Amino acid sequence: MNIQEAKQTVMDTVRAYTARDAEGNYRIPPVRQRPILLMGPPGIGKTAVVEQAARECGVGLVSYTITHHTRQSAVGLPMVEQRMYDGRKFTVTEYTLSEILASVYRCMEETGCREGILFIDEINCVSETLAPTMLQFLQGKTFGNHPVPRGWIIAAAGNPPEYNQSVREFDVVTLDRVKYISVDIDYEAWKKYAVRQRIHGAIRAYLEGKPQNFYRMEQTPEHKEFVTARGWEDLSMILREYEELGIAVDEGLVGQYLQCPQIAGDFFGFYQMYQGCWRRFGGELERILKKDEIPGPGSETVGINEEDFTDVKGEAFPADVQLSAANLLISAVLDDAERWLRLKNQQEKCSREISRLLEQPKEEAFLTAMEAFVEDRERAFAVRDEAGLMTEEERGTENFCNQWLRRMYWDLKARGIDGWKEAGDRLLHALEEKNKQAVSTGKSAVGKAGRVLEWLDKTFPGGLACTAAMEAFSSSESCMSLTAEYGCRPFEERSGRLMIRDRERSLQEEIRRLQEV
């Protein structure tokens, strides 16, 4: 299965293993809760999906790369104890609690999460002295003499032998006690992830034209050459930062992340062409992205004019140029859609918290109650943040809400407003102003999305660029929420066309199959 299917499988397993009956007992007893074992090529996101699954399921997470540990840190240190057996005193060896299990208990204390995932990475690359411990861990759910706490699910990840010469094969006895998930390389699944993670437009455009360069793992006579999904994502982040800081990007930088000289050189050449596309289409793109008109309600979006095509209309462009121009525009739309969704989430979160605050018993002065309310939120945020229980988006929204509430507290205090009614009116007015900002941003973004689709359709009649934009917008949660909120006629019309085309292709394939039969 691909990495996104693997993530869903992990989440489904967590929910099944933590489900309880009416008496509070686990419906699947812990003895039948098999550890999850993710096996697949390095760098495709196995660790990331376990972290995401823990956050989305609302459970704790303790993660270790086991190759960094010795037998003592994993099992615990030996200590001598005196025991009486059959009336005789014996000296026996026991073990202290391992560092790994101690981290589980610490996570439970700090976060209040009684359930979670204990994740062990590179589990089949351990040293010879630690290998038996890992087998015991998977088979018996114990580290040394100490069991994994009830409610904590074991997950592990490893690489197949063809990717790592130091791996150890699991025997049938062990494999028969785990939930084995084979994770494959799948560019199509990663492509949707790339849109959601805002991977650099040059990378999306390049891989759309050359998907065969998405993943590479080869052994040459001199050294190993490889390109992974992790490498592309990390390269995306450094490219964005270099561009923001005005630092020149060279082939050496690309090669630090794509450790295959052929692909690194090819992508760097494409990146230069991608950057040149802004200069080539600069006037047109500026006009498309910076029109002053704000769309009205519903699907009434501002269209484009003939003047927007003065320099390029009627020309023929190769596919890589079309995809580059499309992704320049796509990136701008995605940025605006993300900004709108962030503002909307912030406004809604602040609104919910103000409602909670105003519903409290009015037994004390408003500012006293508000200060205690904000301090409680800040403490809860610190605990969740330390435990890594929030996504970056959730963390940003929660942090903004805390800061906004704190600013409003000081604003009310400076104005001498301490009555519940007057303070509530002031807070609700501030919320309404923030809502207006979100609405204005959303309408501007949806208008831009519509103009981008129309311009791509008319400038590149073959449909390649417009299809790439439609796929990107459809894969983006923020874009889909945006169009659902305000409507976007160009998007809706092209969605209908794509559905008809997909249906026609399905019918043609079915006809061919029946003819063959």
Side-chain angles (χ1 to χ4, degrees):
M1 63 178 66
N2 64 47
I3 195 67
Q4 291 305 311
E5 292 169 339
K7 173 187 171 182
Q8 189 60 50
T9 299
V10 172
M11 292 176 61
D12 293 343
T13 303
V14 170
R15 291 177 179 131
Y17 284 178
T18 55
R20 297 173 182 262
D21 59 22
E23 287 75 37
N25 301 311
Y26 290 110
R27 291 208 287 261
I28 299 178
V31 71
R32 295 299 177 197
Q33 295 183 7
R34 291 190 171 200
I36 302 167
L37 180 58
L38 297 164
M39 294 293 290
I44 62 173
K46 299 187 294 296
T47 303
V49 298
V50 174
E51 294 171 350
Q52 293 166 18
R55 284 195 297 265
E56 293 181 30
C57 290
V59 299
L61 175 69
V62 172
S63 179
Y64 275 89
T65 300
I66 201 62
T67 50
H68 300 166
H69 286 264
T70 63
R71 186 175 187 278
Q72 286 74 23
S73 63
V75 177
L77 294 173
M79 59 183 184
V80 176
E81 292 285 345
Q82 300 292 325
R83 292 284 183 266
M84 297 293 295
Y85 297 114
D86 197 22
R88 298 174 59 190
K89 183 181 289 187
F90 292 87
T91 300
V92 297
T93 301
E94 293 192 0
Y95 288 87
T96 60
L97 187 67
S98 79
E99 175 190 334
I100 294 174
L101 287 187
S103 296
V104 172
Y105 285 107
R106 185 166 60 250
C107 177
M108 294 166 69
E109 289 179 358
E110 292 177 351
T111 67
C113 290
R114 308 305 298 176
E115 298 168 332
I117 300 175
L118 173 54
F119 177 64
I120 306 298
D121 200 7
E122 299 185 18
I123 194 167
N124 58 343
C125 297
V126 296
S127 64
E128 186 174 348
T129 57
L130 196 52
T133 301
M134 290 299 97
L135 294 178
Q136 178 194 23
F137 170 64
L138 290 175
Q139 293 178 13
K141 303 175 185 175
T142 61
F143 267 116
N145 298 332
H146 303 280
V148 176
R150 288 174 64 89
W152 279 73
I153 297 154
I154 296 172
N159 303 321
E162 59 266 30
Y163 296 100
N164 193 328
Q165 295 179 353
S166 63
V167 304
R168 297 175 178 276
E169 294 278 9
F170 291 122
D171 56 30
V172 174
V173 174
T174 302
L175 292 175
D176 193 36
R177 287 173 169 81
V178 300
K179 184 181 175 74
Y180 189 94
I181 301 174
S182 178
V183 187
D184 302 319
I185 302 164
D186 188 334
Y187 168 68
E188 290 300 321
W190 185 85
K191 183 167 72 171
K192 296 178 181 179
Y193 168 83
V195 172
R196 293 192 295 271
Q197 293 298 113
R198 304 293 293 108
I199 298 299
H200 195 286
I203 292 174
R204 296 201 312 271
Y206 175 76
L207 292 177
E208 186 67 18
K210 296 186 176 180
Q212 69 275 13
N213 289 346
F214 169 60
Y215 195 93
R216 180 76 59 88
M217 193 71 64
E218 292 181 356
Q219 181 68 55
T220 68
E222 295 80 20
H223 58 274
K224 182 170 284 187
E225 296 181 354
F226 58 92
V227 174
T228 67
R230 183 191 296 127
W232 287 114
E233 186 163 3
D234 292 346
L235 175 61
S236 170
M237 297 189 74
I238 200 69
L239 287 177
R240 286 184 178 278
E241 199 60 32
Y242 269 44
E243 291 168 1
E244 183 70 23
L245 297 173
I247 302 174
V249 174
D250 57 26
E251 189 171 347
L253 175 72
V254 175
Q256 293 162 16
Y257 294 86
L258 309 180
Q259 298 189 43
C260 173
Q262 180 185 356
I263 294 178
D266 193 44
F267 172 73
F268 179 66
F270 182 90
Y271 175 77
Q272 291 178 306
M273 186 273 295
Y274 179 88
Q275 295 296 90
C277 269
W278 184 265
R279 295 186 291 273
R280 173 67 184 84
F281 297 100
E284 292 78 1
L285 302 188
E286 287 285 344
R287 285 194 291 270
I288 294 302
L289 297 177
K290 295 187 176 180
K291 275 183 175 286
D292 295 330
E293 299 96 336
I294 299 297
S299 58
E300 298 173 11
T301 56
V302 173
I304 55 178
N305 305 317
E306 286 300 313
E307 66 183 24
D308 298 318
F309 305 98
T310 53
D311 298 332
V312 298
K313 189 175 181 182
E315 293 187 38
F317 297 97
D320 53 0
V321 173
Q322 294 186 39
L323 289 172
S324 294
N327 275 280
L328 284 167
L329 292 168
I330 289 168
S331 295
V333 172
L334 293 179
D335 285 344
D336 279 11
E338 288 288 338
R339 191 177 302 112
W340 165 76
L341 188 59
R342 184 165 58 249
L343 287 171
K344 181 173 182 285
N345 289 339
Q346 290 171 354
Q347 192 273 339
E348 290 177 349
K349 182 65 179 179
C350 291
S351 179
R352 288 194 296 272
E353 294 307 299
I354 290 300
S355 296
R356 285 182 56 222
L357 172 61
L358 296 177
E359 289 169 0
Q360 289 187 346
K362 300 173 178 55
E363 300 171 350
E364 52 191 355
F366 179 81
L367 288 177
T368 302
M370 184 174 184
E371 185 176 27
F373 182 84
V374 174
E375 288 176 352
D376 285 345
R377 276 192 53 82
E378 290 171 342
R379 280 193 295 270
F381 173 81
V383 170
R384 294 180 67 202
D385 189 33
E386 179 68 23
L389 296 177
M390 296 179 286
T391 65
E392 282 301 311
E393 292 78 9
E394 290 169 340
R395 184 181 182 281
T397 300
E398 291 288 338
N399 190 41
F400 174 88
C401 185
N402 285 341
Q403 293 179 359
W404 185 82
L405 287 169
R406 179 63 70 180
R407 285 197 304 271
M408 293 306 301
Y409 166 79
W410 287 113
D411 175 72
L412 293 171
K413 194 165 189 177
R415 295 173 183 271
I417 300 175
D418 202 16
W420 284 81
K421 175 70 169 64
E422 189 179 0
D425 291 343
R426 176 74 183 170
L427 291 171
L428 293 175
H429 175 74
L431 281 173
E432 181 58 31
E433 290 301 311
K434 185 154 189 64
N435 182 57
K436 289 178 181 177
Q437 181 188 2
V439 170
S440 175
T441 302
K443 288 184 176 181
S444 176
V446 81
K448 183 180 294 185
R451 294 193 300 274
V452 163
L453 290 171
E454 289 184 352
W455 187 84
L456 291 174
D457 232 358
K458 294 179 181 179
T459 304
F460 309 119
L464 175 65
C466 193
T467 300
M470 288 295 299
E471 288 182 352
F473 295 165
S474 299
S475 299
S476 167
E477 176 190 351
S478 56
C479 275
M480 294 306 291
S481 299
L482 182 70
T483 56
E485 183 90 11
Y486 299 106
C488 180
R489 188 176 294 117
F491 178 82
E492 293 160 3
E493 289 173 351
R494 285 157 182 80
S495 292
R497 274 190 246 157
L498 287 176
M499 291 176 63
I500 291 171
R501 276 188 221 152
D502 289 342
R503 181 59 180 155
E504 286 176 349
R505 279 196 294 269
S506 298
L507 289 172
Q508 289 168 356
E509 290 172 4
E510 181 66 13
I511 290 169
R512 281 196 296 271
R513 188 187 67 81
L514 292 172
Q515 288 174 338
E516 291 172 359
V517 172

